[in-house]
Amino acid sequence: KKVDIVDVLQLPPLLREFDEVEKADLKRIEKCVKEENGDAAVVVEANTIEVVADVKVENMDVPKDVIVSGSGDTPMPDAIMSEEMALKQARAAILDERDKRQKIREESIAAFILKNQLRSTVASFEEDLVSQSVDNCLGSVERGLNLASSRCRTTSCYFCGLSDNGLGSPLVRTPTKEEWDELMPHFGRQRRVHLVADVGFHRSEEELLAKKGKKRDLVAVKVRLEGELFSCALDEDYDDIELAKAMRDGGMLEFLPRNPDGCQNELEFRARTGLPFLMGSLSAHECCAISAHNAQKERAIQQYKEDKSSAFEFSSGMTCGRTLSLGRDTSGRSYWKFNSNDKELFVCENRADKVWRCYNDPGVIASIIHSLNGDPIVSSLKIAYEDAAKLLPLNRWRSSVLKKQFENVRLDPNVSNKGKAKDEEEEEEDYPFEVGEAVLVESPCSQMLWDANVLAVSQVNGKVNGYRVHYKGWSTRFDEWVENARVVEPNENNVQVQDEMTEDQQKKKSLMEIPKCKFLQKLSAKAFIEAPNRARGNLCPPNFVEVATVTLGSSSGEETFQRLKAAMLMMEAALPAGSVDTGPRGDWRPEYSAAWRKTVIEASGPYTLMACAYYLEESIIPEWIDQHITHVLSSLPQRWKAIREASHASLALRISMLDMGLDYETVELKKPKSRR
């Protein structure tokens, strides 16, 4: 048989066993090769070489510049495979290996599930040949791809709540919404974000032995430059259309296994092949992660279309003279600028009566922009009101607002506002408060003391005449300038007065009347709503009677649903201090709890209310729930199933069990810090 392609440089060792080839011809061929240019092709007649024995030449290194032509019955190629074709075949082999690795992991989980299902049946056999057959067909013993490197015992999917055994699919690492929004612009442009770093070089010999010979310790890293995520273009070998299609959205669906061993093995494979990959903080099945990715992509596309449409409509409307809104803030207020009064800002409140407010002072407009910090409307307001935008740096608008606020205030140089002489006032006056210091602010009606922090100090002729304060737990748009007479030190006596005034107000505004309903009257939370040291602090609870009241003609189901709302609000109002994390980063921080109460009040069906009940249950620290009740709650349907199939009966059962197991009496107070 004939050899189509032969490396002439390999001929001497290859033809030692060939008796039919003359040495003179061999030397002549070598001489021709050495005289020719390295880039030129060498043509060898096929009839000069005859193979007597079978020789495998598949794995030989064949130079790309050798072309062999021949005659006879065997067809000879005109030219060898191009470099581009060889590169495409290498890429295809890498992608096939990637798919094969994913399939092995899925089959390992499937084999485990199948053996569990057949365990009771196989137990009746004298010899277990079924499990061995399943392992031979589906199982794998390769490290990094076997069951031990694919299964996650204590982790469940973030989206569906099932484990890897529950769905028969291994768990992968998927990004959160914030991570997805940051990564998608880079992956969408075919850029690499994650890199692989080997951090195992610093380990000692003992640690390496403990690792059972595993010397590498790989981690995925991201690079940031001045806070911005850095990315680089893919390698040239992976920059083609076919690979872009295989990567699916630039690699946003190239997930890594959640299992640590499987993740290490996959990182090593990605580092070796150069394929991009995605890391995330959440755990999910691949099908759930893909569905979440597609949903977020559709949302991003729809948002982009809406933004483009709004921008086009706004520019077209301004061109033809039509006045359009500058936009809306997160509270629903709309902002307007009319051509007749281009220096004035008009704000329409999101209420039924459509109250309009007008602001014409640049300092006041700047203060409004400052209070909307982080809101999307801020950029439009800065463009529309350039004079106000110039006052934002270094908070220069504060002096303008302060002058306008106290322009009519005239202090008697000899007598204070309480009729005391100037010398007596100086003796009793304390040192002024500093910026950032915690204070108590008296309400205008002198019936409450509010916790606040000093943002700025106003002075006239070296004397303090006002403070700008921020009320703790309230939005920045409620920041205001107050007279120094209303600001007091939060000492022990003043704090006690504050608590007494708060209790008096709560009794006067008693909104805690419990509706006359057997279900609500039997709740344990009823006895602790007015108790001190509740997690809600000084915040007044909602009006339970108003929440539970229904309109005339409502059905019994609607009446029951409103009572369930009131029951959940009662439980939240009675939560003891320490039972939930109300810190700045806690699960029950003030903004989260306010959003939860709003969601409960506005809920339109059992689906939403069941989701709120689960969030409340998961936010409560386990030590405040009785162990027996915890066991009963765990026997109820899982979260995804309970929310999807929520009903009035299932909702009432979960609320009753949670109320029964909650320890409303135990209170854990944080120790107060001493004043500096």
Side-chain angles (χ1 to χ4, degrees):
K1 59 183 180 180
K2 304 295 183 180
V3 179
D4 295 339
I5 302 175
V6 178
D7 185 355
V8 295
L9 298 179
Q10 298 285 340
L11 283 176
L14 180 63
L15 299 179
R16 289 173 184 172
E17 301 178 2
F18 298 171
D19 299 329
E20 300 290 333
V21 179
E22 296 180 0
K23 295 182 179 180
D25 295 337
L26 183 59
K27 293 180 179 179
R28 179 174 56 81
I29 294 174
E30 292 185 54
K31 184 178 181 181
C32 294
V33 172
K34 294 178 180 179
E35 293 178 355
E36 292 292 337
N37 189 359
D39 298 334
V42 180
V43 181
V44 181
E45 296 294 336
N47 54 11
T48 62
I49 301 174
E50 182 178 356
V51 181
V52 178
D54 292 337
V55 181
K56 295 183 180 180
V57 296
E58 297 177 357
N59 298 326
M60 293 177 54
D61 296 331
V62 181
K64 300 175 182 178
D65 56 352
V66 179
I67 303 176
V68 179
S69 63
S71 60
D73 298 335
T74 303
M76 307 300 293
D78 295 333
I80 65 172
M81 183 185 306
S82 64
E83 183 179 358
E84 182 179 357
M85 291 295 296
L87 186 58
K88 287 185 178 181
Q89 288 188 1
R91 296 171 188 163
I94 292 175
L95 295 176
D96 291 342
E97 184 179 358
R98 178 202 64 179
D99 298 338
K100 181 180 178 182
R101 293 168 61 86
Q102 177 63 21
K103 184 179 180 182
I104 292 176
R105 291 192 181 95
E106 294 177 353
E107 289 179 348
S108 299
I109 298 292
F112 177 77
I113 297 174
L114 184 58
K115 289 190 295 184
N116 282 345
Q117 294 293 330
L118 299 177
R119 182 178 299 175
S120 58
T121 304
V122 173
S124 61
F125 297 165
E126 294 182 358
E127 185 177 359
D128 183 9
L129 299 178
V130 177
S131 300
Q132 184 177 0
S133 301
V134 172
D135 290 334
N136 293 335
C137 295
L138 300 177
S140 175
V141 295
E142 183 178 354
R143 182 178 179 85
L145 300 177
N146 53 13
L147 178 63
S149 302
S150 303
R151 186 184 176 194
C152 301
R153 298 177 180 273
T154 59
T155 309
S156 59
C157 177
Y158 175 80
F159 300 104
C160 67
L162 296 177
S163 62
D164 47 7
N165 296 338
L167 196 61
S169 176
L171 295 176
V172 297
R173 303 167 186 257
T174 184
T176 61
K177 180 181 180 300
E178 293 75 14
E179 294 172 342
W180 188 95
D181 292 337
E182 185 182 35
L183 294 174
M184 188 59 192
H186 299 272
F187 279 91
R189 291 181 286 134
Q190 301 292 325
R191 299 183 65 83
R192 187 188 304 275
V193 176
H194 296 93
L195 302 176
V196 180
D198 188 356
V199 297
F201 62 88
H202 64 281
R203 296 186 180 276
S204 61
E205 296 182 359
E206 293 77 6
E207 292 176 332
L208 293 178
L209 292 175
K211 286 276 186 179
K212 298 181 180 180
K214 182 182 177 183
K215 299 182 179 180
R216 307 193 69 181
D217 193 359
L218 304 178
V219 294
V221 297
K222 292 187 293 186
V223 180
R224 294 184 182 273
L225 297 178
E226 296 182 355
E228 296 294 332
L229 187 62
F230 177 79
S231 63
C232 59
L234 293 175
D235 301 337
E236 294 182 358
D237 296 345
Y238 294 94
D239 189 12
D240 63 349
I241 299 177
E242 295 182 0
L243 182 68
K245 294 180 180 179
M247 285 296 99
R248 297 179 297 178
D249 290 343
M252 280 295 289
L253 301 182
E254 296 297 314
F255 305 107
L256 294 182
R258 169 54 62 183
N259 185 284
D261 293 339
C263 183
Q264 285 288 313
N265 185 271
E266 188 66 18
L267 282 175
E268 185 175 356
F269 169 73
R270 300 283 173 161
R272 174 168 52 85
T273 58
L275 290 177
F277 59 91
L278 177 69
M279 285 287 288
S281 304
L282 301 179
S283 302
H285 302 106
E286 185 175 5
C287 57
C288 298
I290 293 175
S291 300
H293 166 75
N294 293 334
Q296 293 185 86
K297 185 171 67 173
E298 290 295 331
R299 174 188 58 82
I301 294 174
Q302 185 64 26
Q303 184 64 36
Y304 175 79
K305 291 180 179 180
E306 292 177 359
D307 294 343
K308 285 293 183 181
S309 177
S310 300
F312 178 77
E313 183 181 4
F314 178 77
S315 60
S316 301
M318 296 299 291
T319 303
C320 65
R322 176 188 173 193
T323 302
L324 298 175
S325 171
L326 296 175
R328 291 180 177 272
D329 59 12
T330 54
S331 300
R333 290 184 292 264
S334 59
Y335 297 79
W336 300 76
K337 179 181 180 180
F338 300 106
N339 294 332
S340 59
N341 299 314
D342 56 352
K343 298 297 183 182
E344 297 181 350
L345 172 63
F346 293 86
V347 181
C348 181
E349 298 285 348
N350 185 23
R351 302 191 321 194
D353 51 356
K354 297 294 182 182
V355 176
W356 287 81
R357 303 184 186 277
C358 176
Y359 306 94
N360 54 13
D361 184 72
V364 176
I365 297 176
S367 67
I368 295 175
I369 298 176
H370 178 77
S371 66
L372 295 171
N373 186 24
D375 202 288
I377 189 63
V378 170
S379 58
S380 300
L381 292 176
K382 289 181 179 180
I383 296 174
Y385 299 93
E386 297 180 357
D387 295 339
K390 294 178 181 178
L391 299 176
L392 291 175
L394 302 178
N395 296 325
R396 288 194 292 266
W397 54 270
R398 293 180 175 176
S399 59
S400 175
V401 174
L402 182 63
K403 291 178 181 178
K404 186 176 180 180
Q405 182 74 18
F406 296 99
E407 60 183 357
N408 296 325
V409 176
R410 297 290 184 271
L411 297 177
D412 192 332
N414 297 320
V415 181
S416 67
N417 57 350
K418 292 186 178 180
K420 292 186 178 181
K422 180 178 178 180
D423 54 349
E424 295 178 358
E425 182 182 9
E426 291 179 352
E427 293 178 359
E428 297 181 3
E429 183 180 11
D430 295 331
Y431 290 102
F433 297 99
E434 299 178 355
V435 175
E437 190 172 4
V439 295
L440 294 177
V441 180
E442 188 180 16
S443 63
C445 60
S446 301
Q447 295 181 358
M448 291 287 292
L449 283 176
W450 297 322
D451 294 319
N453 289 328
V454 177
L455 298 178
V457 181
S458 173
Q459 296 183 359
V460 176
N461 297 328
K463 296 182 179 180
V464 177
N465 65 342
Y467 296 94
R468 182 166 182 81
V469 296
H470 168 71
Y471 298 105
K472 296 180 180 179
W474 291 82
S475 173
T476 54
R477 64 173 178 267
F478 295 99
D479 297 353
E480 63 176 354
W481 288 94
V482 297
E483 299 176 358
N484 54 351
R486 291 175 53 190
V487 181
V488 296
E489 180 184 1
N491 53 33
E492 184 178 355
N493 181 60
N494 292 338
V495 171
Q496 184 177 359
V497 173
Q498 180 191 28
D499 295 338
E500 294 175 357
M501 297 172 74
T502 302
E503 292 178 2
D504 293 341
Q505 287 297 316
Q506 289 181 353
K507 291 179 180 179
K508 291 179 181 178
K509 298 181 178 179
S510 182
L511 298 177
M512 296 175 288
E513 182 182 356
I514 308 302
K516 296 180 180 180
C517 168
K518 292 183 179 180
F519 176 71
L520 298 178
Q521 293 290 339
K522 291 182 179 180
L523 290 178
S524 303
K526 171 189 173 183
F528 296 91
I529 293 178
E530 300 183 14
N533 300 326
R534 299 295 98 183
R536 70 176 189 272
N538 295 329
L539 183 68
C540 293
N543 193 331
F544 305 123
V545 176
E546 182 179 348
V547 173
T549 303
V550 295
T551 59
L552 294 176
S554 300
S555 62
S556 58
E558 294 175 346
E559 184 177 0
T560 301
F561 184 67
Q562 293 300 121
R563 292 176 177 176
L564 292 174
K565 286 184 181 181
M568 292 186 62
L569 294 173
M570 288 173 57
M571 291 170 54
E572 189 272 338
L575 287 177
S579 61
V580 289
D581 188 359
T582 58
R585 297 184 179 181
D587 295 336
W588 207 254
R589 64 190 78 169
E591 54 268 28
Y592 282 15
S593 60
W596 182 88
R597 286 187 290 269
K598 181 179 179 182
T599 304
V600 171
I601 295 174
E602 298 177 355
S604 58
Y607 177 91
T608 305
L609 213 56
M610 181 64 79
C612 293
Y614 263 97
Y615 185 79
L616 175 63
E617 179 182 336
E618 294 173 355
S619 299
I620 298 174
I621 299 176
E623 286 75 6
W624 266 264
I625 303 179
D626 186 78
Q627 295 182 357
H628 299 87
I629 299 299
T630 302
H631 178 71
V632 174
L633 291 174
S634 63
S635 64
L636 297 178
Q638 295 295 326
R639 175 173 54 186
W640 65 274
K641 182 177 178 63
I643 295 177
R644 187 180 62 183
E645 301 177 357
S647 62
H648 294 164
S650 62
L651 194 56
L653 175 61
R654 182 166 291 275
I655 293 175
S656 300
M657 297 303 299
L658 184 60
D659 176 76
M660 188 183 303
L662 263 173
D663 184 5
Y664 294 102
E665 297 181 359
T666 303
V667 176
E668 181 178 337
L669 297 178
K670 295 182 179 180
K671 296 181 179 180
K673 297 182 180 180
S674 59
R675 179 179 172 84
R676 58 175 177 82

